[in-house]
Amino acid sequence: DIFFDLCSKGEARACLELLRFPEAYPSRHAPNNPDKLLRKSCADSVRACSALGMMLEDKGRAPTEIVQVYSEACERRGWSSCNNLGLMYQYGKGLPQDSQRAQELYQKSCEQGFLFGCLNWAKSLEQQDSGEGSLAHSLRDRACQARLFDGCFQLALSDFRRPNKRLGDIREHMEFACIGGIKDACSIKQ
């Protein structure tokens, strides 16, 4: 109830909490107009901008609107928004496809500690036929070392494709990813 009370009084961070994890709160606590609330909160919080962009994506809104939200947040050092903008560039959603620009955005978010940026950077290197080079592998390892389930899953797959497989490490990473709910990891490890 505390987040609902604070959100009702206009506290942006409390509203963001309610919007980010709606399943954790009774539906009566859901803010009335989340779009409007997040737009207002976006002025103060790049996290709110990222949440707004993701909500707009979920609602199937115009990609140009989403690109604008992510671009503004990225310029304000919203690293998850930089990553999400990279995805828009990589897949040509709302702007011309540009894998080089996507990599720059992934790198920017990764270097600032946003681990999904590291994973997307590794994937984009792989897609550009840079293969399983040491950079892509080290990016996945970094995410796994930080105990990111998807990072360990991707690292295990990467290690499996390498000529000198370390089966013990692969199994350990797959088990961790499985614990984290990555179903493919569960089926592969068996």
Side-chain angles (χ1 to χ4, degrees):
D1 287 340
I2 190 166
F3 287 120
F4 181 72
D5 291 341
L6 289 170
C7 180
S8 299
K9 294 175 184 167
E11 177 58 45
R13 290 186 180 176
C15 297
L16 182 57
E17 176 71 14
L18 290 171
L19 292 167
R20 285 181 63 218
F21 304 104
E23 66 283 350
Y25 303 102
S27 59
R28 65 184 167 83
H29 290 313
N32 291 333
N33 191 340
D35 287 34
K36 184 178 179 182
L37 181 63
L38 283 174
R39 285 183 196 285
K40 181 181 173 189
S41 300
C42 189
D44 300 323
S45 164
V46 292
R47 288 177 119 185
C49 296
S50 183
L52 174 61
M54 288 186 287
M55 183 191 313
L56 294 173
E57 282 190 77
D58 287 345
K59 290 185 173 189
R61 297 289 276 278
T64 52
E65 181 182 9
I66 299 164
V67 166
Q68 181 180 354
V69 170
Y70 286 148
S71 294
E72 291 172 8
C74 182
E75 287 173 17
R76 292 175 33 216
R77 302 172 61 174
W79 309 124
S80 65
S81 291
C82 293
N83 176 69
N84 294 347
L85 184 59
L87 290 167
M88 308 257 333
Y89 272 105
Q90 182 150 353
Y91 297 105
K93 290 183 173 181
L95 32 75
Q97 189 172 7
D98 184 344
S99 53
Q100 185 61 41
R101 179 67 179 133
Q103 277 192 18
E104 291 168 5
L105 290 162
Y106 297 147
Q107 180 178 359
K108 185 177 190 176
S109 67
C110 176
E111 288 174 349
Q112 296 303 317
F114 188 72
L115 296 173
F116 285 103
C118 299
L119 294 177
N120 286 327
W121 187 13
K123 284 181 190 176
S124 70
L125 288 170
E126 187 177 79
Q127 288 173 352
Q128 283 193 330
D129 289 331
S130 299
E132 276 302 320
S134 60
L135 177 57
H137 191 268
S138 70
L139 293 169
R140 290 181 173 110
D141 186 53
R142 177 178 174 185
C144 184
Q145 291 298 320
R147 308 309 282 165
L148 189 65
F149 298 119
D150 197 43
C152 289
F153 178 63
Q154 286 188 32
L155 182 62
L157 293 176
S158 171
D159 282 346
F160 189 75
R161 290 188 294 260
R162 294 177 88 99
N164 300 322
K165 296 173 181 39
R166 297 176 312 197
L167 295 177
D169 289 347
I170 293 169
R171 187 175 303 113
E172 179 183 328
H173 297 321
M174 282 294 183
E175 286 175 3
F176 181 72
C178 179
I179 290 168
I182 298 178
K183 290 182 170 83
D184 287 344
C186 299
S187 62
I188 291 172
K189 82 174 184 81
Q190 294 174 358

